[in-house]
Amino acid sequence: MVNIDVVRIDIPEGTNVIIGQSHFIKTVEDLYETLASSSPSIKFGIAFNEASGKRLVRFDGNDEELIKLAIENAKRIGAGHTFVIYIKNAYPINVLNRIKNVEEVVRIFAATANPLQVLVAETDQGRGVIGVVDGYTPLGVESDADIKERKEILRKFGYKR
């Protein structure tokens, strides 16, 4: 028997969340080092659900509010080997490849500031993330004006010249 749970993730204004899967207790420390060395101004909170042993929510970070958010949402997801990272003063694009290169990271499910739902399957053994709903359904296909606007936004943010 499998039950599917939809877990809505809280994402306050000005923050982004990254949700992924890892496989080892040292995840929290390695993610801390990765994020802390990515930018002197980044603020973050990390929570990681252990899947065996004491099965605790392990946590770290440099911002108490973001640590609390990460812990709360990791507990709500309740899936072993899942991590939740909240960041401020940076965007996922600034840290995502560094996170993916952490030895024990298996996958990234989401990196967003959009409304987010995590789809969690629950069996008699436990819970596991089966996917995410990130944002909303598309309303159409971009026009020439939309293409121009997209390119202008990328240049405004400094991602393109």
Side-chain angles (χ1 to χ4, degrees):
M1 181 101 179
V2 176
N3 294 317
I4 306 293
D5 190 14
V6 178
V7 179
R8 186 174 307 276
I9 301 300
D10 301 320
I11 307 175
E13 186 72 30
T15 65
N16 280 265
V17 67
I18 300 168
I19 297 177
Q21 184 178 30
S22 185
H23 72 89
F24 194 44
I25 192 172
K26 76 184 196 81
T27 297
V28 171
E29 290 181 44
D30 289 353
L31 288 174
Y32 181 96
E33 292 168 358
T34 295
L35 292 166
S37 66
S38 69
S39 166
S41 62
I42 190 172
K43 297 295 179 195
F44 60 92
I46 305 163
F48 169 70
N49 294 336
E50 279 184 311
S52 61
K54 291 186 173 183
R55 297 192 329 231
L56 300 173
V57 177
R58 305 291 183 164
F59 66 92
D60 209 337
N62 64 5
D63 183 284
E64 290 302 317
E65 174 190 338
L66 299 178
I67 293 169
K68 182 180 172 186
L69 278 170
I71 292 169
E72 288 172 5
N73 284 282
K75 285 172 36 180
R76 289 176 51 232
I77 293 168
H81 282 166
T82 300
F83 63 83
V84 177
I85 300 171
Y86 278 88
I87 60 173
K88 276 187 185 177
N89 302 335
Y91 297 102
I93 194 171
N94 306 130
V95 297
L96 206 48
N97 279 336
R98 294 181 67 141
I99 291 170
K100 289 177 192 176
N101 284 322
V102 170
E103 293 174 315
E104 57 272 16
V105 169
V106 176
R107 73 183 70 193
I108 303 293
F109 294 111
T112 191
N114 293 327
L116 184 65
Q117 297 173 323
V118 178
L119 306 176
V120 179
E122 185 166 1
T123 69
D124 61 344
Q125 178 178 309
R127 293 166 63 91
V129 175
I130 58 174
V132 298
V133 179
D134 185 346
Y136 303 104
T137 303
L139 297 175
V141 177
E142 68 182 349
S143 66
D144 289 341
D146 295 319
I147 293 168
K148 182 179 181 214
E149 179 184 39
R150 171 175 41 89
K151 290 179 178 185
E152 288 171 357
I153 288 171
L154 292 174
R155 281 147 186 81
K156 177 183 173 187
F157 290 158
Y159 289 118
K160 298 287 182 176
R161 294 192 308 159

